[in-house]
Amino acid sequence: MNNLTFNYSHALIQEHELEEMQAQIQAAHNLLHQKIGAGSDFTGWVEYPHTYDKEEYIRVQKAAEKIKKDSEVLVVIGIGGSYLGARAVIESLSHSFSHLIPQKNRQGVSVFFAGNNISGSYLKDLLDLIQEKDFSINVISKSGTTTEPAIAFRIFKDLLEKKYGKEGAKERIYVTTDKEKGALRKLCEKEGYESFVIPNGLGGRYSVLSAVGLLPIAAAGIDTDKLLDGARDAVKEYQDADVKKNPCYQYAAIRNILNRKGKELEIFVSYEPCFNYFAEWWKQLFGESEGKDGKGIFPASASFSTDLHSLGQIIQDGKNNKFETVVWVKEPNKDVEIIHDKENSDGLNFISGKTLNYVNKMAFQGTLLAHVDGNVPNLIIEIPKLDEYYMGKMIYFFEKACGISGYILGVNPFNQPGVEAYKKNMYALLGKPGFEELQSQLKERIKK
């Protein structure tokens, strides 16, 4: 089987620079694998593709099959890592217009997402869309009290109970939460909802290969067995501490080399629109893991060739502080041939008989050379094709690289203290009990 490959020949670094990172790579490897680094309580993901709860996985599959039989729609309620991984996989591996395909022609249900924003317009539109459809919900939250998903769950739970009655609604509510504590765990015990566990050793952004991501992914008709197969193979392939033999560690090392040379912004680039939400997951993974203590490479994303007509100029000729990480699919699953036009009014007959994927490849190669000429280093991750196996492998590649890169950077890659700041301010301004003193302070600041 072909493998995921990492090409750094356009990284604009010298080979000796990578070799000189070996001691730091070894130290980061030891911190991660010996569980002695900062945040080690949240490194359960390292071996999770092997150690996951097999009995729970069977329940996940059964729940997904039930959802596919009794529902047209699954509403996934969660924010951050509670939904981004699942959405990344579903949108990467599904038909581009899957929601418009008749139910009988699809492998799974339509999956929509709520609780990831506080927009009344978005939620009302989603409620209008599913009013006349049979639907289930999967609410995902460690605590059950995070504002955005808690609001959405309250509203969709009410809609389910009005539509199906309390007992009928109970059969359509699936909860993924803490094993022992929290508001949602208490509610499951009280109401008897089907529930799954967010493992204690997995932070949200590292949880896509657990029930957090697997239930929605399976309900969408995607083969989670193959997804885990790819991740399991990746565990083995990316465990060598020798940076010359481990492409995952090469990526982590080169990111830090470039950062030390003033490259403060990394752009995740793809040439397939289906990767747009994979980019969003990647941005959370690296943004939350590395962005602390005044450090971190700012994660951005672009979809080419679309964004070459908006961001291409600033990437090529703007401030010299960025590099690109390109994910390239060697053999896309589908293609369209460019037809011959007798009139040739658009002047494109020189590519008649070629396919769109061929043109896309030439755009990739031309852009790569242009950006490198503009002193924008390019790191290229190539997968043979886009399927569940390589998606699982790529997820693990980035998770492992992120943990190693964070330790090289000198931060705790597994916490996110800055995320709590906005929550406290929002709670205070909303008048949540216990935040009265902070509320008065913030109101004074707002007046100024």
Side-chain angles (χ1 to χ4, degrees):
M1 181 176 289
N2 292 327
N3 211 335
L4 178 154
T5 61
F6 176 60
N7 179 353
Y8 61 90
S9 61
H10 300 282
L12 302 181
I13 67 166
Q14 300 298 316
E15 190 67 28
H16 72 85
E17 295 179 87
L18 179 59
E19 294 172 358
E20 289 165 4
M21 291 292 292
Q22 179 58 50
Q24 294 174 64
I25 284 287
Q26 182 68 62
H29 174 89
N30 292 343
L31 290 173
L32 185 62
H33 281 271
Q34 296 175 21
K35 299 187 181 298
I36 55 176
S40 59
D41 288 347
F42 289 92
T43 56
W45 56 271
V46 176
E47 296 294 335
Y48 194 78
H50 290 289
T51 62
Y52 68 94
D53 186 330
K54 310 303 187 294
E55 292 183 3
E56 182 180 64
Y57 181 71
I58 293 171
R59 289 200 301 114
V60 165
Q61 298 302 307
K62 289 181 178 178
E65 288 304 312
K66 180 177 181 298
I67 291 167
K68 287 190 280 187
K69 287 178 181 178
D70 66 20
S71 300
E72 300 168 81
V73 169
L74 174 66
V75 179
V76 176
I77 300 172
I79 195 167
S82 294
Y83 93 101
L84 276 172
R87 190 164 190 175
V89 174
I90 291 168
E91 299 208 2
S92 294
L93 298 179
S94 299
H95 190 287
S96 298
F97 306 100
S98 60
H99 297 317
L100 300 179
I101 296 174
Q103 180 80 15
K104 63 181 180 179
N105 297 333
R106 286 193 274 116
Q107 297 296 314
V109 299
S110 289
V111 181
F112 295 103
F113 297 87
N116 53 68
N117 61 62
I118 323 176
S119 167
S121 297
Y122 176 90
L123 200 65
K124 184 60 169 66
D125 286 347
L126 181 54
L127 290 166
D128 290 344
L129 177 68
I130 68 170
Q131 283 283 355
E132 303 304 319
K133 298 181 184 294
D134 284 316
F135 74 98
S136 298
I137 62 176
N138 176 206
V139 56
I140 308 166
S141 175
K142 187 82 168 172
S143 68
T145 57
T146 303
T147 304
E148 294 91 340
I151 291 172
F153 180 49
R154 177 179 288 202
I155 292 168
F156 280 96
K157 176 174 171 287
D158 179 67
L159 179 60
L160 275 176
E161 291 179 349
K162 287 177 178 176
K163 188 179 179 75
Y164 300 104
K166 195 171 180 66
E167 282 302 308
K170 185 180 78 171
E171 298 301 314
R172 293 173 176 272
I173 296 174
Y174 302 86
V175 178
T176 310
T177 189
D178 189 88
K179 184 177 183 178
E180 298 175 346
K181 59 183 186 297
L184 277 177
R185 175 52 58 198
K186 292 179 181 177
L187 189 63
C188 286
E189 293 171 357
K190 177 184 176 184
E191 302 292 345
Y193 300 143
E194 177 85 16
S195 67
F196 304 95
V197 173
I198 301 175
N200 287 330
L202 276 64
R205 57 191 179 274
Y206 291 88
S207 66
V208 59
L209 297 174
S210 72
V212 171
L214 294 180
L215 177 58
I217 291 167
I222 293 168
D223 190 333
T224 54
D225 288 343
K226 292 181 181 177
L227 191 74
L228 288 171
D229 285 344
R232 274 191 293 272
D233 285 351
V235 172
K236 181 179 179 180
E237 290 172 26
Y238 305 137
Q239 65 181 355
D240 196 321
D242 187 343
V243 72
K244 290 183 290 186
K245 298 178 181 178
N246 191 330
C248 176
Y249 287 10
Q250 290 167 5
Y251 173 59
I254 292 171
R255 295 180 73 254
N256 280 274
I257 292 170
L258 293 173
N259 188 31
R260 293 167 189 176
K261 292 185 174 187
K263 303 297 185 181
E264 303 168 331
L265 189 150
E266 180 178 10
I267 306 172
F268 178 97
V269 173
S270 68
Y271 285 76
E272 297 290 343
C274 67
F275 273 127
N276 286 350
Y277 260 91
F278 190 92
E280 295 303 310
W281 171 80
W282 175 89
K283 285 191 286 189
Q284 189 208 3
L285 179 67
F286 281 92
E288 277 197 350
S289 297
E290 294 189 327
K292 58 202 69 165
D293 303 334
K295 302 175 183 178
I297 302 169
F298 190 90
S301 63
S303 180
F304 289 169
S305 67
T306 302
D307 289 336
L308 289 172
H309 296 262
S310 55
L311 299 175
Q313 174 64 40
I314 195 168
I315 293 172
Q316 180 82 34
D317 291 335
K319 190 174 180 180
N320 188 16
N321 68 338
K322 62 190 78 67
F323 66 97
E324 293 171 303
T325 293
V326 182
V327 170
W328 178 254
V329 182
K330 187 176 181 180
E331 295 180 11
N333 298 328
K334 303 170 187 175
D335 208 352
V336 175
E337 184 176 310
I338 300 168
I339 61 174
H340 182 81
D341 185 340
K342 185 187 298 185
E343 300 297 326
N344 197 28
S345 57
D346 53 16
L348 291 179
N349 275 352
F350 72 98
I351 53 173
S352 295
K354 305 292 186 184
T355 68
L356 260 66
N357 287 328
Y358 174 81
V359 176
N360 207 21
K361 183 176 181 180
M362 296 305 104
F364 160 51
Q365 293 178 349
T367 303
L368 168 67
L369 296 175
H371 287 185
V372 171
D373 287 345
N375 199 27
V376 181
N378 266 241
L379 313 178
I380 303 163
I381 296 164
E382 181 177 278
I383 56 175
K385 61 181 179 178
L386 184 54
D387 63 10
E388 291 93 337
Y389 176 84
Y390 287 108
M391 180 60 63
K393 183 167 282 191
M394 192 162 58
I395 286 169
Y396 191 84
F397 175 96
F398 282 119
E399 288 181 344
K400 187 78 179 289
C402 187
I404 294 294
S405 182
Y407 279 144
I408 294 173
L409 189 63
V411 300
N412 178 349
F414 309 114
N415 68 353
Q416 55 278 342
V419 176
E420 302 304 316
Y422 96 89
K423 293 181 182 179
K424 292 178 181 178
N425 288 349
M426 180 176 68
Y427 292 153
L429 291 170
L430 287 170
K432 185 174 181 177
F435 288 81
E436 291 80 6
E437 184 177 349
L438 180 58
Q439 181 186 52
S440 61
Q441 294 172 1
L442 294 176
K443 286 185 174 180
E444 284 300 315
R445 289 177 61 187
I446 291 170
K447 286 179 183 178
K448 296 178 181 178

